[in-house]
Amino acid sequence: MAAIPVIVKHQGKRHNVDLDPTSTGETFKYQLYSLTGVEPERQKILVKGGQLKDDTDLSTLGAKPGQTFMMMGTPATGEGSTVLERPKEKMRFAEDMTEAEAARAEGATPAGLQNLGNTCYLNSTLQTLRSVPELQEELLRYSASASGSSRSAGMANLSQFGLGGLGASMDLTASLRDLYKQMGETQEGFPPLMFLNALRTAFPQFAQKSKTGQGYAQQDAEEAWSQIVSQLRQKLKMKEPPADGDGANLQQEAQISFIDKYLAGRFESLLECDEAAAKEAGEEPVRSEDVFLKLDCHINKDINHLRDGILAGLEEKLEKKSPVLDRDAVYTKKSRIARLPKYLTVHFVRFFWKREAQRKAKIMRKVTFPSELDVVEFCTDTLRKLLVPVRDKVREVRKDEQDVDRARKRQKLAHKQEQDREADSKAQGPANEKRLAQGKADNSTNGDAEMADAVYKTDAEYEAERAASILAAKKELYKLIDPELAEDEGANKSGLYELRGVITHQGASADSGHYTSYVKKQGSLDPKTGKRKEEDGKWWWFNDDKVSEVDAEKIESLSGGGESHSALILLYRAIDLPTAEEVNE
């Protein structure tokens, strides 16, 4: 019996297929598998009386040349057929891995830190700093011999013999390097004993004993953060090629502090006397530049949001002697940001010295903070002019992507509705099918947008269009970045930051309570491209040696308002922008 040429409609496409009346439904499905990539078990082929079954004799269908069949279904792994190949790497089971290999495996829970007696302030600080990948990379390059004596350098080298940081207690930076390396090789709670000893040696305030005489006193996480960052600023240097590109100077690579490059910003400030008499006498405002390692969010009865607290912190009153008035006078210092670092630290000033109680008390007020922070308004006019075009373009691109996604969802819905109507019509018989065809013809005559043979885009076509659109947007965005700003690898070039880490405090004073930290999970690393995949929006909660996964909604509950966990330090990272390599791909 001769094959019958028929048409199969699938996802808006028409496929010409030769139907063999002597074969079965299963054979016909494999024919369609080769054309559409949809596995036979996932296919739904509508025929008179219902769906085509594998054991159906195709001769019973009474198919005629040119007859149209409707097929529904999608491939299990996306568009196209799947080719089974031998795995390139031998499969390894968790029980066959060493502890270090398991810690580095995809999806592994990161290591916690053991509480060594009121050291939760330190644990939360270390976990949040560890979320800066550039810091971990630079620490691995650090050598204690660069800034210490030969004795301390020799002792630090003991870490290579498994004595992990025994000598590094002489050097806080080397001790941090060894600690992070050891944490990367386990999923258990690790005791940061060597680093704690190094910290107490460098800064004896952290060796203060408890008032009860038992153990060590609780400390302020912000003070630990500031001292560690300050020490890293002095010790951790990076080599950079000369900016002028002079061949004669290539051998003399410049050195810059890692902290100055990635975590430090710059203020431009104006100090002016509040009294009119000083101005009338000719006293000029004093302009200055200062480096900052964090922004302070001051809290009072009028502060409800992070933005308001930062603005309050950029203006301060101080009293000093006026050279013109020859007496003390009140001055106002107004600061604006002239350089934004890639990583921005924000400190909620929640603790203050309560004289009558002789201790640090805590301001419980609720102050909300965003997952994305726009700091353009805090910047100088000069920097703002460079940031605004980039920031506005980022928001425009995001809106365009949302519009495309919505259009894609509408098309999928319309396509599904049409398939359902045609399936119902075919199942009810030729008469109803004829009425449906007549309805489509009427719609076409009346200029209706939904045509009888409307062709819908496949997921692959949408993805191709989306990729092309994203590349075009990246090129436009890259052109808007100021060339001088683009050369500063450690700077924010858009004025937009995304929240990456939070240190929280639970309790009523700095001398008591409990500190924990939250760090946003990174996307998994693609072994082929070396790039991070899309993130799932979840966070790691580090509660000393206990590490658990939480949803983003948990972060929104850390604004304060009581003795429960409230944010003390926020770590923001500049949003990703296209690089020259991405644009030129």
Side-chain angles (χ1 to χ4, degrees), residues 477-536:
L477 191 54
Y478 184 76
K479 290 179 182 178
L480 292 173
I481 300 174
D482 179 74
E484 187 175 341
L485 203 56
E487 290 181 3
D488 189 349
E489 182 186 352
N492 183 322
K493 305 166 183 63
S494 68
L496 296 176
Y497 285 95
E498 59 171 329
L499 186 63
R500 302 301 303 185
V502 184
I503 296 178
T504 67
H505 177 265
Q506 179 185 33
S509 74
D511 301 328
S512 61
H514 183 57
Y515 290 94
T516 67
S517 63
Y518 295 80
V519 172
K520 194 169 187 181
K521 290 178 62 179
Q522 289 186 309
S524 58
L525 194 64
D526 189 329
K528 294 182 179 179
T529 63
K531 297 179 180 179
R532 294 279 177 186
K533 297 180 182 178
E534 189 174 350
E535 297 176 346
D536 61 8

Side-chain angles (χ1 to χ4, degrees), residues 39 41 158 178 193-194 230 265 279 314 316 326 350-351 362 402 413 428 430 449 511 546 548:
E39 294 84 351
E41 64 273 11
L158 291 173
D178 294 339
L193 183 59
M194 297 302 175
S230 175
K279 299 175 184 177
L314 293 176
E316 60 178 321
D326 196 28
R350 289 194 175 275
F351 299 130
K362 182 179 178 181
Q402 290 174 353
L413 179 60
Q428 293 174 16
D511 301 328
K546 301 180 185 67
S548 54

Side-chain angles (χ1 to χ4, degrees), residues 216-486:
Y216 291 93
Q218 176 69 284
Q219 300 289 339
D220 186 345
E222 187 276 328
E223 292 180 3
W225 177 284
S226 295
Q227 296 289 23
I228 293 171
V229 169
S230 175
Q231 186 77 354
L232 290 174
R233 189 181 182 211
Q234 295 177 35
K235 296 283 188 178
L236 193 58
K237 305 291 185 180
M238 304 176 64
K239 292 181 179 180
E240 287 202 332
D244 56 10
D246 186 357
N249 294 326
L250 287 178
Q251 300 299 322
Q252 301 177 352
E253 291 182 313
Q255 279 198 334
I256 182 175
S257 164
F258 172 87
I259 297 298
D260 284 344
K261 181 172 183 176
Y262 286 105
L263 279 89
R266 188 176 77 254
F267 281 137
E268 286 185 2
S269 303
L270 184 71
L271 181 66
E272 190 172 16
C273 185
D274 289 359
E275 296 189 30
K279 299 175 184 177
E280 292 169 0
E283 183 172 341
E284 294 291 329
V286 178
R287 298 181 183 276
S288 63
E289 289 191 0
D290 304 288
V291 172
F292 69 87
L293 301 178
K294 59 181 172 60
L295 293 181
D296 285 331
C297 174
H298 289 272
I299 303 174
N300 57 41
K301 62 182 179 62
D302 299 319
I303 303 298
N304 297 308
H305 190 270
L306 178 65
R307 170 192 173 275
D308 304 325
I310 292 177
L311 278 176
L314 293 176
E315 184 172 321
E316 60 178 321
K317 298 285 185 180
L318 54 92
E319 188 175 337
K320 74 181 196 74
K321 186 174 182 178
S322 167
V324 172
L325 301 177
D326 196 28
R327 59 176 172 81
D328 287 347
V330 176
Y331 284 74
T332 298
K333 184 178 182 180
K334 296 180 179 178
S335 301
R336 285 294 179 267
I337 301 172
R339 181 196 186 259
L340 287 168
K342 181 174 182 178
Y343 290 90
L344 179 68
T345 305
V346 181
H347 169 225
F348 287 98
V349 187
R350 289 194 175 275
F351 299 130
F352 68 99
W353 182 253
K354 201 169 185 178
R355 186 176 300 174
E356 56 271 24
Q358 287 294 298
R359 64 182 177 86
K360 276 187 177 180
K362 182 179 178 181
I363 301 173
M364 304 291 189
R365 187 176 182 82
K366 180 178 181 179
V367 181
T368 59
F369 54 90
S371 58
E372 181 173 274
L373 179 65
D374 182 353
V375 298
V376 171
E377 65 173 313
F378 310 139
C379 299
T380 62
D381 292 339
T382 302
L383 181 57
R384 193 182 299 134
K385 289 177 182 178
L386 302 179
L387 298 175
V388 167
V390 181
R391 180 199 65 181
D392 292 349
K393 185 62 180 179
V394 167
R395 290 175 172 170
E396 179 187 328
V397 170
R398 288 175 178 173
K399 183 179 180 302
D400 290 343
E401 288 181 351
Q402 290 174 353
D403 291 342
V404 169
D405 288 339
R406 280 194 289 265
R408 181 177 182 176
K409 289 177 181 177
R410 286 196 298 269
Q411 188 236 226
K412 281 191 171 183
L413 179 60
H415 187 195
K416 184 177 183 303
Q417 289 173 342
E418 181 180 329
Q419 286 182 322
D420 291 344
R421 284 196 300 270
E422 292 190 15
D424 292 342
S425 176
K426 289 181 180 295
Q428 293 174 16
N432 200 63
E433 187 177 350
K434 186 175 181 181
R435 284 197 299 272
L436 179 65
Q438 183 61 43
K440 283 189 176 183
D442 292 342
N443 287 339
S444 178
T445 304
N446 295 331
D448 197 302
E450 186 178 2
M451 306 299 288
D453 289 323
V455 177
Y456 295 98
K457 296 178 183 177
T458 64
D459 287 347
E461 290 171 332
Y462 256 113
E463 286 302 325
E465 287 186 5
R466 184 172 182 271
S469 175
I470 289 175
L471 180 58
K474 281 184 176 180
K475 289 182 177 180
E476 291 181 31
L477 191 54
Y478 184 76
K479 290 179 182 178
L480 292 173
I481 300 174
D482 179 74
E484 187 175 341
L485 203 56

Side-chain angles (χ1 to χ4, degrees), residues 46-65:
L46 304 177
V47 296
K48 186 176 180 180
Q51 295 183 23
L52 180 66
K53 297 181 180 179
D54 290 348
D55 57 356
T56 300
D57 186 345
L58 296 186
S59 63
T60 62
L61 298 181
K64 298 178 181 178

Side-chain angles (χ1 to χ4, degrees), residues 15 212 436 460 575:
H15 300 280
T212 63
L436 179 65
I575 65 166

